[in-house]
């Protein structure tokens, strides 16, 4: 069964910390995505990557950066965590030619205190 | 810009009741439409899709028909089960499928 694995299920970090959220997929997919999920707002795209070392901003990139050094791994970085970044973060991947949509990870619930 | 609007939740139904969750969209061009489901504690899973007007997507007893004239993609199921309790997201994408627009989600609670 194909998998997208997010390294942490729950995280608690302090304001101002640098935070790394890790995502690994085992499907050899070219495209990977980071979303945040907030009540009443649905899912909003932060960044995506269509190849190793390639990235594009989504709708809400401010305060975030990403890294994709290997095809299977896509990291989301909060440069200086703030309380308004408390959220559920979802990673997803998709094969370039696939129109069936994304495969999602189980999510990381981040709380910034 | 492109967007998806879903009915507010939560929706609470008794087992075996009929389900409708409304979804309408705004998009230029020819979007593809999706329903995703998120069970408690899990990520999103693709439930069904439709890629052109008048297509009907179906899976696990759920159905949705792509209606271009009303810009809608309502989710229906004839008889819900307790195990259908989850959050349902309507979504659209187009062109190279690299960007999805999600609705805000509708929580469904099914009581025995």
């Amino acid at each position: 069964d194909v998998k997208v694995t997010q390294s942490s299920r729950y995280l608690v970090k302090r304001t101002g910390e640098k935070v790394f959220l890790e995502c690994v997929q085992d499907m050899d997919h070219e495209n990977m995505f980071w979303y945040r999920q907030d009540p009443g707002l649905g899912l909003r795209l932060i960044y995506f990557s269509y190849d190793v070392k390639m990235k594009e901003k989504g709708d809400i990139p401010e305060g975030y950066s990403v890294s994709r050094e290997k095809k299977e791994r896509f990291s989301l970085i909060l440069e200086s965590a703030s309380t308004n970044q408390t959220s559920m973060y979802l990673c997803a991947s998709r094969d370039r030619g696939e129109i069936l949509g994304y495969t999602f990870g189980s999510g990381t619930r981040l709380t910034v205190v | 810009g492109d967007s998806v609007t879903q009915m507010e939740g939560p929706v609470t139904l008794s087992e075996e009741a009929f389900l409708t969750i409304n979804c309408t969209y705004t998009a230029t061009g020819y979007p593809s439409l999706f329903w995703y489901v998120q069970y408690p504690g899990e990520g999103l899973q693709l439930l069904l899709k439709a890629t052109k007007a008048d297509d009907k997507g179906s899976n696990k007893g759920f159905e949705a028909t792509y209606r271009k004239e009303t810009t809608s993609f309502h989710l229906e199921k004839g008889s819900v089960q307790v195990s259908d309790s989850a959050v349902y997201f309507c979504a659209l994408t187009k062109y190279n499928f690299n960007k999805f627009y999600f609705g805000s989600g509708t929580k469904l609670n099914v009581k025995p």
Side-chain angles (χ1 to χ4, degrees):
Chain A
D1 205 9
V2 295
K3 276 197 171 180
V4 175
T5 303
Q6 295 184 230
S7 56
S8 302
R9 193 79 178 91
Y10 299 95
L11 274 179
V12 180
K13 296 292 182 181
R14 294 192 181 279
T15 300
E17 275 194 76
K18 189 170 186 176
V19 181
F20 293 84
L21 303 184
E22 305 290 343
C23 175
V24 177
Q25 50 99 359
D26 65 358
M27 298 165 284
D28 202 36
H29 285 173
E30 286 88 359
N31 300 331
M32 296 187 74
F33 307 81
W34 275 107
Y35 282 86
R36 63 178 283 177
Q37 180 183 4
D38 300 289
L41 297 176
L43 278 71
R44 293 178 292 167
L45 181 64
I46 305 171
Y47 267 97
F48 70 97
S49 168
Y50 50 89
D51 204 347
V52 174
K53 297 191 185 294
M54 306 301 287
K55 61 184 179 184
E56 284 200 24
K57 293 179 180 179
D59 297 316
I60 52 163
E62 296 78 18
Y64 303 95
S65 62
V66 290
S67 172
R68 191 155 181 214
E69 296 297 319
K70 293 184 178 181
K71 191 175 186 180
E72 66 270 19
R73 185 180 297 270
F74 191 37
S75 303
L76 180 69
I77 304 157
L78 285 66
E79 298 292 343
S80 177
S82 64
T83 55
N84 63 13
Q85 293 178 308
T86 292
S87 186
M88 170 70 87
Y89 289 88
L90 291 169
C91 177
S93 73
R94 185 181 71 80
D95 193 27
R96 185 174 294 155
E98 178 59 73
I99 67 167
L100 289 180
Y102 298 158
T103 300
F104 280 89
S106 298
T108 296
R109 183 164 293 283
L110 172 67
T111 302
V112 182
V113 298
Chain B
D2 299 335
S3 65
V4 174
T5 302
Q6 291 181 233
M7 62 187 289
E8 292 281 334
V11 174
T12 301
L13 297 173
S14 298
E15 207 163 22
E16 299 183 1
F18 184 86
L19 168 71
T20 300
I21 300 178
N22 290 338
C23 170
T24 56
Y25 68 90
T26 300
T28 56
Y30 303 95
S32 295
L33 302 173
F34 300 76
W35 277 101
Y36 281 84
V37 58
Q38 184 178 35
Y39 298 104
E42 298 183 13
L44 277 70
Q45 302 174 23
L46 177 66
L47 181 59
L48 54 84
K49 69 171 178 67
T51 56
K52 61 183 186 298
D54 299 325
D55 267 2
K56 177 185 282 189
S58 61
N59 186 26
K60 300 182 182 180
F62 291 89
E63 293 183 341
T65 301
Y66 187 161
R67 303 282 189 201
K68 195 167 178 66
E69 64 276 14
T70 54
T71 62
S72 65
F73 192 55
H74 304 321
L75 183 68
E76 297 182 336
K77 187 175 186 183
S79 176
V80 293
Q81 306 299 312
V82 172
S83 57
D84 293 327
S85 297
V87 181
Y88 292 82
F89 291 90
C90 187
L92 73 82
T93 189
K94 58 184 186 182
Y95 306 133
N96 62 2
F97 299 92
N98 270 345
K99 190 166 186 180
F100 274 66
Y101 297 89
F102 286 88
S104 56
T106 302
K107 186 172 184 179
L108 171 65
N109 296 315
V110 180
K111 296 182 174 180

